[in-house]
Amino acid sequence: MEWVDGLNKTIAYIEEHLTEEIDYIQLGRLACCSAYHYQRMFAYMAGVSLGEYIRRRRMSRAAVDLQSGEKVVDVAFKYGYQSPTAFNRAFQGVHGVPPSAVRDGGTAVKSYPPLRFTILIKGAEEMEFRIEKREAFRVVGVSAPIERDMESNFQTVPQLWDRAAADGTLQKLCERMDSQPMGVLGVCLCPDEAPWRYCVAVASTKEAAGFEEYTVPAATWAIFAGQGTIQSIQELERRVLTEWLPSSGYEYGSAPDVEVYLNADPNNARYEVWIPVVKKDA
């Protein structure tokens, strides 16, 4: 399957560039999607973030180099660490022992071999979805910058939501909501060519009144509905990317991902996940 072949090409690219800065945009191109979408797919499919996988592979190779007699400082610089101290911290985080102990010999280390993606056919719960074509729509809201290494965003995004709820921003946004999709939106503004931001917003035609504004481009959307705790949306997104997308006949489009929250109850939320898609070439 082309989709799996693309993912495995990214693994080969990572292996070839472990001693260099790895270009996340190139990884996305190999997987036929954006760098942001690639990182999301990778994390859900591999069960580990892209950044953590790369660290593990580098430290696995570093352990072999140290066992072969290379100096700690040389291995540190080889894998992109500007100081032996930073390398020591990363190495111990993976192996549980300092690199000097490995170089001296007789110390057990861990090995994390390269991943290989395959398609596993299994019984699963049904997934209901709809495909909709939508014209561009304008959103207004507040945003926060997010990093291209997505691990660091696990605190940034929840903090933005918490601030918006605490300072009255959500209420003010809801007063400006007047167009589809009706709900409070979480919009991932993550193009390859610009800094990334996450936006808490509503669809509106009213004046921005001090809020940021952004136009979500026209796109075809695969829309999945869910209900439960706010955390359950992550499980729905995981299923969309690992179960539905590979066999759907679609691939990621170029619009941002959108989360639509239809009510305000965090313990029994109703929501939709909007994924931009394009039909694969026959």
Side-chain angles (χ1 to χ4, degrees):
M1 183 179 288
E2 291 182 7
W3 188 80
V4 174
D5 290 342
L7 290 174
N8 285 320
K9 286 178 182 178
T10 68
I11 298 300
Y13 176 89
I14 290 170
E15 288 300 302
E16 293 170 1
H17 296 82
L18 283 175
T19 59
E20 308 166 22
E21 182 176 355
I22 292 176
D23 185 348
Y24 283 17
I25 293 177
Q26 178 60 19
L27 291 174
R29 291 187 184 123
L30 291 170
C32 299
C33 61
S34 71
Y36 170 77
H37 289 144
Y38 172 75
Q39 288 190 68
R40 294 187 69 214
M41 284 195 298
F42 185 97
Y44 283 131
M45 297 190 71
V48 63
S49 72
L50 176 60
E52 178 60 22
Y53 172 75
I54 292 171
R55 275 191 290 275
R56 291 180 182 182
R57 285 298 304 137
R58 283 174 169 156
M59 293 306 99
S60 292
R61 290 262 292 266
V64 173
D65 294 340
L66 291 169
Q67 290 169 332
S68 300
E70 294 188 35
K71 295 179 180 180
V72 172
V73 66
D74 292 339
V75 176
F77 287 126
K78 181 177 182 179
Y79 292 100
Y81 291 86
Q82 299 305 308
S83 72
T85 300
F87 174 68
N88 183 76
R89 185 164 52 248
F91 193 91
Q92 288 203 64
V94 171
H95 296 288
V97 295
S100 57
V102 176
R103 190 173 186 277
D104 293 339
T107 301
V109 293
K110 298 175 182 178
S111 175
Y112 292 94
L115 287 174
R116 180 163 182 80
F117 291 103
T118 60
I119 289 295
L120 175 63
I121 306 299
K122 64 178 182 179
E125 298 177 11
E126 64 184 16
M127 297 186 71
E128 293 187 359
F129 69 97
R130 65 186 191 272
I131 300 292
E132 290 189 8
K133 291 185 178 180
R134 292 256 181 175
E135 296 300 318
F137 59 92
R138 173 178 172 269
V139 301
V140 298
V142 293
S143 72
I146 55 178
E147 302 295 329
R148 289 185 179 267
D149 186 340
M150 294 179 64
E151 288 175 271
S152 60
N153 300 325
F154 294 147
Q155 292 182 341
T156 302
V157 171
Q159 287 173 354
L160 178 62
W161 280 99
D162 289 345
R163 288 197 302 272
D167 64 12
T169 295
L170 282 181
Q171 181 178 346
K172 293 176 183 177
L173 286 173
C174 288
E175 293 170 356
R176 311 200 73 72
M177 184 194 313
D178 67 356
S179 53
Q180 295 292 335
M182 296 294 287
V184 180
L185 313 178
V187 186
C188 299
L189 309 177
C190 301
D192 284 343
E193 67 279 2
W196 289 2
R197 302 189 71 81
Y198 180 90
C199 187
V200 175
V202 295
S204 177
T205 60
K206 298 180 180 179
E207 291 185 11
F211 289 116
E212 301 170 41
E213 55 183 297
Y214 176 79
T215 299
V216 177
T220 298
W221 304 89
I223 301 174
F224 300 80
Q227 185 169 351
T229 63
I230 293 298
Q231 288 74 22
S232 68
I233 196 170
Q234 296 180 357
E235 174 59 18
L236 177 58
E237 290 173 342
R238 183 196 67 79
R239 291 194 63 206
V240 170
L241 298 184
T242 63
E243 297 177 22
W244 181 81
L245 189 60
S247 59
S248 66
Y250 291 92
E251 59 189 17
Y252 257 120
S254 57
D257 286 354
V258 179
E259 300 165 355
V260 183
Y261 295 94
L262 303 172
N263 68 345
D265 184 351
N267 296 315
N268 191 28
R270 292 186 299 111
Y271 51 78
E272 293 179 339
V273 173
W274 289 37
I275 303 294
V277 294
V278 294
K279 197 72 175 176
K280 289 182 180 178
D281 294 333

